Amino acid sequence: MKRRAEREQAFILLFERTVNQETTEQIIENAALSRDMEISDFAMHIAKGVEANEAEIDAKIESSTLGWKINRLSKVSLALLRLAVYEMLYEADIPVSVSINEVIDLAKKYGGKEDASFINGVLGTVAQGLDKQDG
């Protein structure tokens, strides 16, 4: 499975978590039982990493959305933002630009017409904050 497909699988796990309020483990278990689906190691790693660091990730998202509260974001946007911000903060081997581009492509596929540009703006703000921390 290619990394793009694995990232999409991670997004689906994260989206399902925002809708069902289940743990990542429960969602993976249910997916295996009901859909005969095998979740990639990368997708599991990302989904579990987001779950473990959700408070910090959500704080970073909220501080970068300029007046938007987390609960006002669409579930698709929230899952995509969590995915990208997790990668940006915790996956040093994945370039920030790759995380942003991949999530924008997923936003175009799964989100509404304004989601991609909104997500791009938020992630741009997060990336600028990371550059300031490094510099």
Side-chain angles (χ1 to χ4, degrees), residues 27-99:
I27 293 166
I28 292 169
E29 197 174 296
N30 291 340
L33 293 173
S34 66
R35 296 182 206 125
D36 196 29
M37 178 186 284
E38 189 172 324
I39 308 295
S40 76
D41 289 342
F42 177 78
M44 277 192 268
H45 170 75
I46 296 295
K48 288 178 181 181
V50 169
E51 183 176 23
N53 297 286
E54 192 170 273
E56 182 180 355
I57 292 166
D58 285 358
K60 183 71 77 178
I61 292 168
E62 201 157 344
S63 70
S64 301
T65 54
L66 304 175
W68 284 74
K69 297 286 183 199
I70 287 281
N71 61 358
R72 288 191 59 214
L73 300 177
S74 75
K75 293 190 182 340
V76 168
S77 291
L78 180 57
L80 290 169
L81 286 167
R82 284 175 172 164
L83 170 61
V85 171
Y86 171 80
E87 286 186 4
M88 293 164 79
L89 294 177
Y90 300 102
E91 296 296 325
D93 61 322
I94 301 173
V96 168
S97 61
V98 170
S99 297

